[in-house]
Amino acid sequence: MSTTPAPSRSLTPAVLHRLLREGRAPRLLDVRTPAEFRTAHIPGSYNVPLATLSEHRAELRDHLDEDVVLICRSGARAAQAGQALAGAGLPGLRVLDGGMVAWEEAGAPVNRGPERWDMERQVRLVAGSVVLASGLVGVLVPGVHLIGTAVGAGLTYAALSNTCAMGVLLSKLPYNRGPRPDIRTVIAELRSTR
C-alpha cells in the first residue's frame, strides 16, 4: 500500500506580509528559475529551483522545519515542491496562495532585478509560434499541421498533469539560467539564518 503525501496548505499574501512585518517570518523558498527569481522576489527568500529542490530534497530536509512557505509564479510549482518535500519527510509545508502574482497584486514588498519573461509567458510564445508556423506551412506541405496537433496534445497533458515538458526544456536555455544556486551554498545560508 502506497501513501501519497498530503497536499501543502496555502498561506495568503496578506497573512505572509503580516508575519514578515511582525518579524515572525517563516523560511521562504522560491522554486522558480534563477532568472525569474532575479527579476522579482520576496525579500529574504531563498532561490531553490524546483529541479534542484527535487534532486536534493533529502539534504534540504535536514535544514528545514515545518515553518516553510514555498513560492513560485502562481502556486503550481510550489505545490509540486511541497509534494517532493512531504515525500522526503517534511509534511505541513505551506504554499503562497497565488504565488508572486498574488504577492505583487497585494502591493507587498519585492526586490527587483533585470526584467525577464516568466516561464508561462515563454511557453505560450513557443507553443503559439509552433502551432502558427505549422498551420501556415501545412497549407503547402501536407501533414505539417500535425506538429501543431502534437503541441496541443502536449499542452493538454501539461494542464492535466500539472507539469510542463516545454517549460522544463525552456528553463535550460541560457536566458533562464544564470547563476544556479549551488545546493551547498543554499544549505550554508539556511544554517546561518536559524
Side-chain angles (χ1 to χ4, degrees):
M1 183 171 116
S2 68
T3 59
T4 304
S8 301
R9 301 170 301 169
S10 64
L11 184 70
T12 66
V15 170
L16 179 57
H17 190 207
R18 180 177 47 79
L19 290 171
L20 289 169
R21 281 193 323 262
E22 293 172 355
R24 298 185 302 131
R27 182 92 52 152
L28 305 176
L29 295 185
D30 191 318
V31 300
R32 297 174 300 151
T33 66
E36 289 175 293
F37 182 79
R38 282 194 318 273
T39 296
H41 63 271
I42 298 172
S45 60
Y46 299 90
N47 185 216
V48 185
L50 181 57
T52 302
L53 182 140
S54 295
E55 181 180 341
H56 298 282
R57 62 184 171 220
E59 296 165 72
L60 287 167
R61 177 195 61 223
D62 297 335
H63 303 284
L64 298 173
D65 54 27
E66 289 190 21
D67 197 19
V68 173
V69 175
L70 301 162
I71 303 160
C72 68
R73 180 184 180 280
S74 63
R77 284 179 279 177
Q80 290 174 5
Q83 289 178 339
L85 288 171
L90 273 173
L93 302 168
R94 295 175 290 176
V95 170
L96 179 61
D97 190 27
M100 285 298 295
V101 172
W103 181 261
E104 290 187 75
E105 286 175 355
V110 174
N111 287 347
R112 294 206 178 275
E115 189 66 35
R116 300 279 178 129
W117 281 17
D118 61 56
M119 192 56 60
E120 182 180 315
R121 186 175 181 189
Q122 292 178 53
V123 168
R124 289 192 314 253
L125 173 69
V126 171
S129 298
V130 170
V131 170
L132 177 62
S134 67
L136 293 174
V137 173
V139 171
L140 302 174
V141 181
V144 171
H145 72 282
L146 294 175
I147 295 171
T149 303
V151 169
L155 291 173
T156 301
Y157 176 77
L160 294 173
S161 67
N162 202 23
T163 62
C164 186
M166 188 179 295
V168 170
L169 292 173
L170 288 172
S171 72
K172 297 186 183 316
L173 294 175
Y175 176 82
N176 290 316
R177 284 188 311 205
R180 182 178 175 183
D182 175 64
I183 192 64
R184 285 169 286 179
T185 304
V186 170
I187 289 172
E189 290 174 353
L190 292 172
R191 275 191 210 141
S192 69
T193 58
R194 286 278 179 194

